[in-house]
């Protein structure tokens, strides 16, 4: 005998109600579990970094606990020269290294990844070029004068006035993305140590930069707008042999470096040059003067 239609429909409806209750229970369980997304994890890291920065507000105290250890920041073997021999110091002025909170995370601003964010905040994306600093650091740290132990130190001063000291034996990351991550942590943590060691390879220091320069040093500024056009090889060769060189190079996309501590202000080419190529020409001239092959 065939069952009444009303009974059959009633059982089907009960079965559907049962499935609906099960689905609602599963959705409630999923909603109660905490979500873990890629965007939320960096925010927690940045929060911890900012707390550590506030806790270590006293400049005279050293950090307690483990130093910052970043994979890919090893120490490069360098043959150190004697202190009596002359050396070179490079200062990269007006470097574009600025940290901002984009979305839920703190990032190092650059014109490629944050052009929309910069335009919304009425900023020119063309001015945010941390890649210029990256290329300049790779050029000076990979130079023969550094391998020969003639490079005393490298200083980077940002457009906001933050002064950074970089040791000659640090190994800067080769990829730009990794470099941005290192600079982001440096500006948040104020120092970066070597992997497995307590030595600080990069750190934020107090201004002015002149207090860290040798007393008897020749400070030379470079700019395409300078009226004094010279051959860098002849200029370096004619300099005194018992004085250290301090080279001030702009690390920005546009503009002019204006400092009050340089002894001379020169141009080494009739054409505008990148900071990395300018440093390359300086290192070649120094290598010829000091017979570094």
């Amino acid at each position: 005998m065939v069952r009444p239609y009303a009974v059959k429909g009633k059982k089907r409806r009960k079965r559907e109600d049962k499935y609906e209750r099960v689905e609602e229970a599963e959705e409630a369980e999923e909603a109660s579990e905490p979500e873990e997304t890629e965007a939320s994890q960096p925010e927690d890291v940045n929060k911890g970094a900012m707390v550590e920065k506030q806790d270590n507000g006293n400049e005279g105290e050293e950090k307690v606990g483990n130093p910052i250890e970043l994979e890919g920041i090893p120490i490069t073997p360098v043959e150190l020269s004697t202190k009596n021999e002359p050396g070179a110091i490079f200062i990269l002025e007006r470097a574009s290294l600025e940290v901002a909170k984009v979305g839920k995370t703190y990032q190092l601003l650059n014109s490629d990844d944050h052009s929309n964010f910069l335009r919304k905040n009425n900023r020119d994306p063309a001015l945010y070029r941390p890649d210029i600093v990256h290329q300049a650091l790779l050029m000076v740290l990979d130079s023969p004068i550094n391998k020969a132990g003639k490079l005393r130190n490298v200083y980077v001063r940002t457009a906001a006035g933050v002064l950074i000291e970089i040791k000659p034996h640090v190994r800067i990351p080769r990829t730009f993305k990794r470099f941005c991550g290192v600079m982001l942590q440096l500006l948040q943590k104020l120092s970066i140590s070597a992997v497995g060691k307590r030595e600080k390879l990069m750190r934020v220091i107090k201004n002015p930069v002149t207090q860290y320069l040798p007393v008897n040093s020749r400070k030379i500024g470079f700019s395409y707008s300078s009226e004094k056009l010279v051959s860098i090889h002849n200029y370096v060769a004619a300099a005194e042999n018992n004085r250290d060189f301090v080279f001030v190079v702009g690390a920005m996309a546009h503009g002019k470096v204006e400092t009050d501590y340089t002894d001379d202000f020169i141009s080494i080419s009739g054409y505008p040059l990148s900071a990395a190529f300018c440093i390359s020409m300086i290192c070649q001239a120094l290598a010829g003067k000091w017979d570094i092959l």
Side-chain angles (χ1 to χ4, degrees):
M1 180 180 291
V2 180
R3 290 182 297 176
Y5 179 80
V7 176
K8 185 176 180 181
K10 186 176 182 181
K11 288 186 178 180
R12 185 186 299 115
R13 184 175 182 180
K14 285 184 178 180
R15 186 163 58 248
E16 291 176 354
D17 293 344
K18 180 180 178 181
Y19 291 155
E20 291 176 358
R21 288 195 298 271
V22 172
E23 290 177 356
E24 291 176 357
E26 291 178 353
E27 291 177 357
E29 291 180 359
E30 293 178 356
S32 62
E33 295 179 356
E35 296 184 357
E36 294 183 2
T37 61
E38 294 181 357
S40 63
Q41 291 176 358
E43 184 179 7
D44 297 336
V45 174
N46 287 313
K47 285 182 179 179
M50 298 304 291
V51 171
E52 183 176 353
K53 180 178 178 181
Q54 293 175 0
D55 293 341
N56 294 276
N58 298 331
E59 297 176 354
E61 297 180 0
E62 291 290 338
K63 292 184 179 180
V64 179
N66 295 329
I68 306 167
E69 297 183 358
L70 294 177
E71 184 180 355
I73 308 295
I75 296 177
T76 303
V78 175
E79 181 184 351
L80 299 178
S81 62
T82 60
K83 294 182 178 181
N84 296 330
E85 297 179 358
I89 296 174
F90 283 85
I91 302 175
L92 303 179
E93 286 280 356
R94 294 184 59 185
S96 177
L97 298 174
E98 183 176 342
V99 177
K101 190 173 184 180
V102 183
K104 296 183 178 180
T105 61
Y106 288 92
Q107 300 179 26
L108 188 72
L109 297 177
N110 66 82
S111 59
D112 292 333
D113 300 329
H114 309 110
S115 58
N116 294 332
F117 172 82
L118 293 170
R119 290 192 182 96
K120 288 180 181 179
N121 290 272
N122 298 323
R123 301 184 184 182
D124 186 6
L127 301 179
Y128 292 83
R129 296 284 308 279
D131 58 295
I132 297 177
V133 188
H134 183 215
Q135 296 171 5
L137 288 176
L138 287 176
M139 188 62 67
V140 66
L141 294 176
D142 289 344
S143 64
I145 65 170
N146 186 31
K147 305 300 182 183
K150 291 288 191 177
L151 183 63
R152 296 281 183 253
N153 239 337
V154 179
Y155 298 96
V156 178
R157 183 151 62 181
T158 68
V162 180
L163 184 61
I164 301 171
E165 179 189 27
I166 300 178
K167 297 295 183 180
H169 49 277
V170 68
R171 194 163 155 194
I172 293 294
R174 286 337 195 221
T175 62
F176 177 66
K177 184 177 180 180
R178 176 61 178 159
F179 172 77
C180 289
V182 170
M183 290 295 108
L184 174 64
Q185 295 198 30
L186 171 62
L187 294 173
Q188 289 181 332
K189 303 285 187 176
L190 304 183
S191 66
I192 293 180
S193 300
V195 175
K197 295 186 179 182
R198 303 284 298 184
E199 182 184 3
K200 293 181 179 179
L201 300 179
M202 295 185 285
R203 61 174 181 164
V204 177
I205 57 179
K206 292 182 179 181
N207 281 292
V209 69
T210 52
Q211 62 181 320
Y212 309 103
L213 303 179
V215 177
N216 189 28
S217 60
R218 184 173 179 81
K219 308 169 187 66
I220 308 164
F222 292 82
S223 177
Y224 167 69
S225 61
S226 175
E227 297 179 357
K228 188 176 180 180
L229 179 62
V230 301
S231 169
I232 186 62
H233 291 271
N234 298 335
Y235 184 87
V236 169
E240 299 177 15
N241 296 326
N242 58 348
R243 298 179 64 182
D244 292 325
F245 289 99
V246 177
F247 300 104
V248 183
V249 181
M252 67 287 187
H254 306 285
K256 177 182 177 182
V257 175
E258 296 180 356
T259 58
D260 55 356
Y261 59 86
T262 54
D263 301 323
D264 204 355
F265 201 65
I266 64 174
S267 174
I268 59 176
S269 175
Y271 306 95
L273 304 176
S274 64
F277 191 78
C278 180
I279 292 174
S280 174
M281 294 181 64
I282 297 171
C283 292
Q284 291 178 4
L286 292 176
K289 178 180 179 62
W290 294 330
D291 295 329
I292 299 174
L293 302 177

